[in-house]
Amino acid sequence: MTGVLFVVVTAAGPTSRVATALLPAAMDRGWDVYCLATQQAVAVYPEAIRAIEETLGRPVRIDFHTTVGYSLPDPDAVIVAPATYNTINKWAAGIADTYVLTRLAEQTGRAIPIAVAPYVNTNFAANPVYRRSLDALQEAGIDVVNGPLEPHAPGGGDAPLDVFPWEPLLDSVAAKRGS
Ligand SMILES: Cc1cc2nc3c(=O)[nH]c(=O)nc-3n(C[C@H](O)[C@H](O)[C@H](O)COP(=O)(O)O)c2cc1C
């Protein structure tokens, strides 16, 4: 086994493709994958969450062990993909007011490989706080992996989804783990 990989999904378009485009490739590389989802991801993409659970054969984690009754193993690597404007800014600011943000806050700075792929349109990306957040995450050792059309045009159709950087994310955490 390569190790335990947390895949964190948020309420952005590519979440609909995680079950097919990321998880089988991660498992092929030997990762023991656990998926964590924001509450908004579950609300906006319920079918995608069900597909992720079918692919992994285990529930998507959306709440603390005190609610669901069991803890996850500590991860050896984390992929946050897709990452919304909201999650990127709150994570970079150190906010831990949800399950996903709490898990991200406690893994950041542990010296495990973490890679994030934003899915943010150009309107969001023009807000100066977004650049500051990406800089802060990179300063914390997190690899920001942007697809070739990122930030993408608002309402740009499937083109940015089709070139979302699934394999580069896996390459990033593998390279940092030395596997
Ligand atoms: C249908 C739909 C699609 C969305 N797509 C995106 C997106 O691609 N990128 C993004 O940053 N926010 C997107 N949003 C807005 C986020 O869902 C919103 O900021 C939310 O608070 C993010 O919560 P989370 O970061 O906890 O998942 C979308 C919202 C909806 C309703």
Side-chain angles (χ1 to χ4, degrees):
M1 186 182 76
T2 306
V4 170
L5 173 68
F6 279 4
V7 169
V8 176
V9 302
T10 69
T15 287
S16 62
R17 301 196 179 184
V18 166
T20 51
L22 177 62
L23 300 182
M27 291 188 284
D28 281 352
R29 291 182 186 223
W31 289 107
D32 185 21
V33 184
Y34 291 83
C35 182
L36 291 65
T38 65
Q39 297 284 352
Q40 280 302 108
V42 176
V44 176
Y45 296 103
E47 287 174 19
I49 300 299
R50 276 194 291 277
I52 290 168
E53 291 182 329
E54 273 172 31
T55 301
L56 292 181
R58 53 174 53 133
V60 169
R61 191 63 177 256
I62 57 171
D63 212 338
F64 293 95
H65 73 280
T66 44
T67 303
V68 300
Y70 63 98
S71 297
L72 296 183
D74 281 340
D76 299 296
V78 179
I79 287 175
V80 186
T84 58
Y85 171 87
N86 176 62
T87 289
I88 288 167
N89 288 323
K90 291 178 83 172
W91 178 19
I95 294 169
D97 65 350
T98 65
Y99 173 67
V100 159
L101 287 168
T102 301
R103 298 313 307 263
L104 290 177
E106 67 189 356
Q107 301 310 325
T108 304
R110 267 192 66 216
I112 61 169
I114 303 178
V116 55
Y119 194 76
V120 169
N121 71 35
T122 50
N123 292 338
F124 278 132
N127 187 320
V129 77
Y130 180 65
R131 173 47 53 196
R132 290 200 292 274
S133 293
L134 292 184
D135 288 348
L137 291 175
Q138 285 173 312
E139 278 168 27
I142 291 153
D143 194 13
V144 178
V145 180
N146 275 310
L149 297 181
E150 194 60 32
H152 57 273
D158 281 350
L161 284 170
D162 291 340
V163 294
F164 197 76
W166 304 111
E167 288 293 332
L169 285 162
L170 291 167
D171 291 343
S172 171
V173 292
K176 287 196 175 171
R177 189 159 162 76
S179 58

